[in-house]
Amino acid sequence: MQHNVLILDFGSQYTQLIARRVRELNIFCEIFPYNNPPTDLSSYKAVILSGSPFSVRAEDAPHPDLTQIRGKLPLLAVCYGAQYLAHFDGGEVAPSNIREYGRANLSYIKEGEPFLEGVSANSQVWMSHSDTIKKLPTNGVVLASTKDVANAAYKIEGETTYAIQYHPEVYHSTDGKQMLENFLVKIAEVPQSFTPNSFVEDIVAELKAKIQDDKVVLGLSGGVDSTVAAVLLNKAIGKNLYCIFVNNGLLRKDEFESVLHQYKDMGLNVKGVDAADRFLSQLAGISDPETKRKTIGRVFIEVFDDEAHQLEDVKWLAQGTIYPDVIESVSVKGPSATIKSHHNVGGLPDFMKLQVVEPLRMLFKDEVRRVGATLGIDPELLGRHPFPGPGLSIRILGDITPEKVRILQEVDAVFINGLREHGLYDKVWQAGAILLPVNSVGVMGDERTYEKVVALRAVESTDGMTADWVHLPYEFLMKISNEIINKVKGVNRVVYDISSKPPATIEWE
């Protein structure tokens, strides 16, 4: 795997967006916590320091060791990083007298500066900080200013070190991608060689060398990630890949049968295991979201282990883990806190005794889809909305019962089929229904009802790290609401979720 750009995370909500923008330039990058960087930096060609919710003036502020980076590798310090370089190297950082958050415009741009080449006068940038740099560090030179921020961007003479107090990674910074390209391609001379084709070639070769003639078992979920992982492994090791597709009783309506048939048509060596009753019995009476996730993860491993033991000489377990799963599941002081646990990250219990292989571990969701297209996977399968590993259990708020699962499967089917029929499915990144733990009064015919409420959720996003709710047509929502209430016994009210991420998450649990 290529190791071109290192991003040190100081806990900013935007850190993963930095990585996304770098990847969009066909440049491979990795995120590491600031206090646990790689020990060997020889393969990296540039380093980026992220922002942070901390103040550099605070006693518990993140304090990275940059001795192997400063003056040795091209360095771009963003927001907190820029203030850190100033505060600890002859400059001054002080509380800002004005609120420096939101849109601002560059009122001064230093002429002839490669970092700002192609950046127009009055270019909009996104600020997000409460401190500001009053005095530049030793050998600092101003590159750009805004009306209120004199030292919006600077460089350090004698080093290939650049620093900015705004966030180039967010879409609100109109020339942000250009600045990143200027730094990485023109200044640091990082090759733009990370493409879907190159990834497939590299990972297939890596899998062949790592696995050789060993047998691998993989749990398929029906989603894009595990499917692409399976096709990559199948390309590398063929029939030595044994796929298991488990019905946990929490899939969408009729999904177990239809997806199993689709996998077999793709030439995968796959076995379907219907364990719905086992999962639902273990979930009975559990309402806490994290407990539900962990219970499903535990039972899945138990079922998987039962099946794996029927195979002889299996050495590896393959997983469809992707990069956001890895990052969100690493919680250290400073960098981004864990939002929720991911049941496919964190290794295996001792009794399984298998080595783990994760072909997609370094890819974001949209990159997984592009790799899948390169592999020739059916576009309809690649275009499927993300679906949570714990399935409908985290879309049923409260405890899980077979009746609640039936209701939600029926509601979900009406909603998703409706999106397809009205040409809206591909305009939505993820959609689903949530069964709420409340009943509401209704009237059907001449009878009073007291039945369940469901919420519909549809969001648009690039990689799930941020998301906006989709403005579905009122006529469509009216039709779907009527259809759900008329067709699904037990539901008498439908609401639509208009929350964005952040502050809300895409799933309700």
Side-chain angles (χ1 to χ4, degrees), residues 201-219:
E201 292 174 5
D202 290 348
I203 201 68
V204 167
E206 183 181 310
L207 291 170
K208 285 180 178 178
K210 178 185 289 187
I211 298 169
Q212 299 183 20
D213 293 326
D214 292 346
K215 293 180 180 179
V216 179
V217 63
L218 166 66

Side-chain angles (χ1 to χ4, degrees), residues 327-376:
I327 297 168
E328 286 191 10
S329 296
V330 174
S331 181
V332 297
K333 185 184 178 187
S336 308
T338 300
I339 297 169
K340 57 182 179 288
S341 65
H342 291 269
H343 71 283
N344 60 332
V345 177
L348 299 168
D350 292 339
F351 64 80
M352 285 199 68
K353 307 296 184 186
L354 296 178
Q355 299 178 77
V356 177
V357 58
E358 297 169 316
L360 309 177
R361 186 178 179 86
M362 300 309 298
L363 297 185
F364 288 95
K365 175 70 76 172
D366 55 316
E367 293 174 323
V368 174
R369 288 197 170 100
R370 289 201 291 273
V371 166
T374 297
L375 291 167

Side-chain angles (χ1 to χ4, degrees), residues 186-449:
K186 296 176 182 176
I187 296 171
E189 299 182 343
V190 181
Q192 294 175 280
S193 57
F194 185 64
T195 65
N197 282 332
S198 70
F199 176 82
V200 170
E201 292 174 5
D202 290 348
I203 201 68
V204 167
E206 183 181 310
L207 291 170
K208 285 180 178 178
K210 178 185 289 187
I211 298 169
Q212 299 183 20
D213 293 326
D214 292 346
K215 293 180 180 179
V216 179
V217 63
L218 166 66
L220 288 167
S221 69
V224 175
D225 302 336
S226 66
T227 300
V228 174
V231 174
L232 277 171
L233 283 159
N234 192 49
K235 188 177 178 70
I237 63 172
K239 292 299 181 181
N240 275 347
L241 172 66
Y242 295 82
C243 299
I244 299 172
F245 181 37
V246 176
N247 179 17
N248 59 11
L250 299 160
L251 302 175
R252 286 175 158 150
K253 185 180 179 182
D254 301 327
E255 188 173 35
F256 179 60
E257 296 78 8
S258 63
V259 172
L260 185 59
H261 181 73
Q262 194 172 23
Y263 280 143
K264 290 180 177 177
D265 286 346
M266 293 168 64
L268 295 176
N269 180 17
V270 59
K271 177 182 179 181
V273 180
D274 190 348
D277 291 343
R278 184 169 176 177
F279 277 88
L280 293 176
S281 65
Q282 291 290 307
L283 285 166
I286 297 175
S287 298
D288 178 70
E290 275 295 287
T291 306
K292 285 194 282 190
R293 287 177 181 272
K294 289 174 181 175
T295 299
I296 290 169
R298 173 180 57 78
V299 178
F300 176 81
I301 288 175
E302 291 171 358
V303 172
F304 204 83
D305 188 55
D306 291 344
E307 295 299 322
H309 272 114
Q310 297 179 34
L311 303 171
E312 294 184 358
D313 301 321
V314 173
K315 300 285 183 65
W316 298 85
L317 172 73
Q319 294 185 322
T321 309
I322 64 174
Y323 205 29
D325 295 340
V326 175
I327 297 168
E328 286 191 10
S329 296
V330 174
S331 181
V332 297
K333 185 184 178 187
S336 308
T338 300
I339 297 169
K340 57 182 179 288
S341 65
H342 291 269
H343 71 283
N344 60 332
V345 177
L348 299 168
D350 292 339
F351 64 80
M352 285 199 68
K353 307 296 184 186
L354 296 178
Q355 299 178 77
V356 177
V357 58
E358 297 169 316
L360 309 177
R361 186 178 179 86
M362 300 309 298
L363 297 185
F364 288 95
K365 175 70 76 172
D366 55 316
E367 293 174 323
V368 174
R369 288 197 170 100
R370 289 201 291 273
V371 166
T374 297
L375 291 167
I377 297 175
D378 186 341
E380 183 176 331
L381 197 156
L382 289 178
R384 289 188 65 190
H385 293 172
F387 189 65
L392 297 179
S393 74
I394 59 169
R395 293 181 180 175
I396 297 173
L397 306 193
D399 66 323
I400 311 295
T401 67
E403 175 63 8
K404 289 180 181 178
V405 173
R406 179 200 67 79
I407 290 174
L408 191 55
Q409 284 178 332
E410 296 289 343
V411 171
D412 181 85
V414 172
F415 185 31
I416 298 300
N417 291 339
L419 289 170
R420 292 188 186 279
E421 291 168 5
H422 288 77
L424 296 169
Y425 185 85
D426 292 334
K427 297 178 182 179
V428 172
W429 192 77
Q430 183 171 339
I434 299 92
L435 184 64
L436 305 185
V438 294
N439 284 22
S440 75
V441 174
V443 177
M444 291 186 180
D446 293 326
E447 295 183 5
R448 178 183 180 276
T449 62

Side-chain angles (χ1 to χ4, degrees), residues 73-237:
L73 289 170
L75 174 65
L76 175 62
V78 176
C79 200
Y80 178 89
Q83 295 176 357
Y84 179 85
L85 294 182
H87 185 67
F88 290 101
D89 192 17
E92 180 188 353
V93 175
S96 177
N97 293 326
I98 60 169
R99 185 171 180 264
E100 296 177 358
Y101 180 85
R103 295 173 177 84
N105 297 90
L106 298 181
S107 56
Y108 164 75
I109 296 176
K110 188 175 187 296
E111 291 186 9
E113 173 51 52
F115 179 74
L116 295 170
E117 185 177 328
V119 178
S120 58
N122 208 40
S123 177
Q124 179 178 284
V125 294
W126 184 262
M127 296 287 187
S128 180
H129 54 90
S130 57
D131 290 341
T132 195
I133 298 172
K134 295 292 187 183
K135 178 185 174 185
L136 290 178
T138 304
N139 298 324
V141 177
V142 176
L143 300 183
S145 305
T146 69
K147 176 176 171 289
D148 298 313
V149 182
N151 300 310
Y154 67 89
K155 69 177 180 181
I156 297 180
E157 294 283 12
E159 303 177 17
T160 314
T161 297
Y162 293 78
I164 50 182
Q165 285 202 83
Y166 50 85
H167 290 272
E169 66 273 20
V170 303
Y171 285 112
H172 304 296
S173 293
T174 51
D175 292 312
K177 186 175 179 181
Q178 181 65 56
M179 296 178 206
L180 288 172
E181 183 175 357
N182 289 343
F183 171 72
L184 292 171
V185 179
K186 296 176 182 176
I187 296 171
E189 299 182 343
V190 181
Q192 294 175 280
S193 57
F194 185 64
T195 65
N197 282 332
S198 70
F199 176 82
V200 170
E201 292 174 5
D202 290 348
I203 201 68
V204 167
E206 183 181 310
L207 291 170
K208 285 180 178 178
K210 178 185 289 187
I211 298 169
Q212 299 183 20
D213 293 326
D214 292 346
K215 293 180 180 179
V216 179
V217 63
L218 166 66
L220 288 167
S221 69
V224 175
D225 302 336
S226 66
T227 300
V228 174
V231 174
L232 277 171
L233 283 159
N234 192 49
K235 188 177 178 70
I237 63 172

